[in-house]
């Protein structure tokens, strides 16, 4: 018995905000909100056309939408490994990536909750905190940049007369704001890393300096990764965005409606801003943002409501199911210190470090 006790390892527990109990509670909240939205769609007066569309949905197109969402998740995994930890196996990258997507479907703030889980896992592997923060910022910026570049290009083309005719407020203005956002990100490294915190500095100053270092260094690292032409990173970022947009395109087809692709792409970015609201799973924020934006761009109201509802159900359940399985395997692996495919960060000369300038 004594010898057995010597080989037993203490179980690694997740931080409280990412504990299984708290995540299950959030999942129940999101399910409850989805049920409420479903009951409203099923019972509220004036939504008869939406109910008819939902009742006659084309299952083949819904299946296509599920496959497209799965491909979006695979693209996320492909992007994760080269940015965070090139030394880890694809198995672990799959588990961490899908676990992040599962947590991201429960927590708001555009996927920041999922990145927090990944950051904690990498810290357990020994990766320094400043390196994790820097790469988390770089990952987020690269992942988000595709959307802004797309809106800048498509908004400009629509303003010049390509696609359905819309006002400059709906075409040139979003394009200009996207270009400004891209320019700000590109200029962030010029701010400079700044001074390091002194031991005598207060907690607030240390936190402010840490955020500045992470944002500035992360923006610089994102630019360096893109300049190096990391194929998996670029393909993963584009795939994650394109396949997720395609899910919405497929759900419109499931209800017999064809919406111009330019409208879907423009409505996607603006509508997704609702995910920044502190609502469990973004339910209500993303839905309302997408429906309102797409209708403003000319999509039919009833079909838009049905398509967005189907899109949100797929966006919630698929990452949660696949990510839940991946998360269970990952937790088991975290409690096996000799597991060879977990991200390994040596004490000196880290092989996963990216060049800094």
């Amino acid at each position: 018995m004594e010898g057995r006790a010597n080989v037993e390892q203490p179980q690694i527990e997740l931080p409280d905000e990412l504990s299984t109990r708290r995540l299950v509670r959030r999942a129940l909240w999101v399910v409850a909100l989805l049920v409420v939205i479903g009951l409203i769609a099923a019972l509220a007066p004036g939504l008869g056309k939406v109910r008819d569309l939902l009742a006659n949905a084309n299952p083949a197109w819904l299946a296509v939408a599920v496959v497209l969402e799965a491909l979006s998740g695979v693209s996320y995994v492909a992007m994760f490994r080269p940015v965070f930890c090139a030394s880890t196996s694809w198995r672990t990258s799959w588990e961490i990536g899908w676990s992040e997507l599962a947590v991201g479907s429960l927590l708001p703030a555009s996927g920041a909750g999922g990145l927090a889980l990944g950051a904690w896992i990498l810290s357990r592997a020994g990766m320094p905190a400043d390196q994790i923060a820097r790469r988390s910022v770089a990952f987020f910026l690269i992942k988000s940049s595709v959307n802004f570049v797309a809106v800048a290009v498509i908004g400009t083309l629509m303003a010049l007369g390509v696609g359905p005719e819309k006002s400059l407020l709906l075409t040139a203005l979003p394009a200009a704001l996207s270009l400004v956002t891209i320019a700000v990100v590109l200029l962030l490294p010029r701010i400079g890393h700044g001074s390091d915190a002194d031991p005598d500095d207060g907690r607030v100053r240390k936190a402010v300096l840490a955020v500045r270092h992470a944002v500035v260094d992360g923006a610089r690292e994102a630019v360096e990764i893109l300049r190096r032409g990391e194929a998996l990173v670029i393909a993963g970022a584009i795939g994650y965005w394109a396949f997720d947009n395609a899910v919405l395109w497929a759900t419109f087809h499931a209800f017999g409606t064809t919406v111009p692709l330019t409208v879907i792409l423009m409505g996607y970015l603006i509508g997704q801003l609702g995910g920044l609201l502190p609502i469990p799973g973004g339910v209500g924020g993303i839905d309302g943002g997408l429906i309102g934006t797409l209708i403003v761009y000319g999509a039919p109201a009833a079909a838009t409501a049905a398509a967005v509802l189907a899109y949100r159900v797929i966006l919630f359940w698929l990452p949660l199911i696949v990510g839940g399985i991946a998360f269970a395997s990952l937790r088991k692996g975290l409690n096996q210190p000799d597991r060879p495919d977990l991200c390994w960060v040596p004490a000196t000369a880290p092989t996963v470090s990216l060049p800094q300038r």
Side-chain angles (χ1 to χ4, degrees):
M1 293 295 291
E2 183 178 354
R4 180 179 178 182
N6 289 333
V7 299
E8 288 182 349
Q9 300 292 334
Q11 296 292 297
I12 295 176
E13 296 295 335
L14 289 167
D16 186 56
E17 63 272 15
L18 296 173
S19 66
T20 302
R21 182 179 62 181
R22 182 164 293 189
L23 293 177
V24 168
R25 188 184 307 162
R26 284 187 173 274
L28 292 175
W29 269 106
V30 176
V31 170
L33 288 172
L34 289 173
V35 169
V36 170
I37 292 175
L39 289 174
I40 292 173
L43 302 175
L47 296 179
K49 192 170 183 180
V50 176
R51 288 191 284 272
D52 290 341
L53 288 170
L54 291 172
N56 295 287
N58 186 323
W61 274 109
L62 292 179
V64 169
V66 171
V67 171
L68 290 169
E69 184 58 33
L71 291 174
S72 178
V74 170
S75 300
Y76 185 97
V77 172
M79 181 185 173
F80 175 87
R81 183 173 182 264
V83 171
F84 280 103
C85 188
S87 67
T88 193
S89 68
W90 279 111
R91 170 192 173 186
T92 298
S93 297
W94 174 275
E95 291 174 351
I96 297 176
W98 276 102
S99 295
E100 287 189 358
L101 289 171
V103 173
S105 70
L106 299 177
L107 302 176
S110 298
L115 285 176
L117 173 63
W120 179 83
I121 293 168
L122 293 173
S123 70
R124 299 296 311 184
M127 185 177 288
D130 59 338
Q131 187 172 318
I132 294 172
R134 186 175 73 244
R135 293 187 180 181
S136 295
V137 171
F139 185 89
F140 181 82
L141 291 177
I142 294 172
K143 178 170 69 73
S144 304
S145 66
V146 180
N147 221 337
F148 286 95
V149 171
V151 169
V153 172
I154 296 168
T156 300
L157 292 176
M158 291 180 71
L160 294 175
V162 178
E165 185 177 350
K166 302 296 176 184
S167 70
L168 293 179
L169 286 176
L170 298 177
T171 56
L173 180 59
L177 292 176
S178 293
L179 287 173
V180 169
T181 302
I182 294 170
V184 168
V185 172
L186 292 175
L187 291 173
L188 276 175
R190 295 182 177 273
I191 296 176
H193 180 84
S195 60
D196 293 325
D198 294 325
D200 296 333
D201 287 339
R203 183 179 301 177
V204 174
R205 175 171 169 77
K206 288 181 179 179
V208 170
L209 289 175
V211 170
R212 172 177 175 168
H213 297 164
V215 172
V216 172
D217 295 344
R220 180 183 295 113
E221 190 150 312
V223 172
E224 289 178 351
I225 291 172
L226 293 176
R227 281 177 177 171
R228 289 202 305 272
E230 294 273 4
L232 275 178
V233 175
I234 296 172
I238 294 174
Y240 177 73
W241 165 82
F243 287 125
D244 199 46
N245 274 272
V247 175
L248 192 56
W249 167 81
T251 55
F252 269 108
H253 280 274
F255 301 109
T257 303
T258 302
V259 176
L261 189 59
T262 51
V263 169
I264 292 178
L265 297 178
M266 289 295 289
Y268 180 87
L269 170 63
I270 301 172
Q272 288 284 349
L273 294 177
L276 296 174
L277 297 175
I279 304 171
V283 176
I286 295 177
D287 313 85
L290 282 173
I291 292 172
T293 304
L294 288 167
I295 290 175
V296 167
Y297 275 91
T304 298
V308 170
L309 181 58
Y311 164 79
R312 289 290 288 137
V313 169
I314 294 171
L315 191 65
F316 172 72
W317 281 111
L318 182 66
L320 194 62
I321 294 172
V322 178
I325 297 171
F327 186 58
S329 176
L330 181 63
R331 287 201 66 178
K332 184 182 298 184
L334 287 173
N335 287 304
Q336 297 173 356
D338 58 341
R339 176 171 159 176
D341 61 336
L342 286 174
C343 182
W344 176 66
V345 181
T348 59
T351 59
V352 295
S353 293
L354 293 173
Q356 299 185 36
R357 297 176 184 174

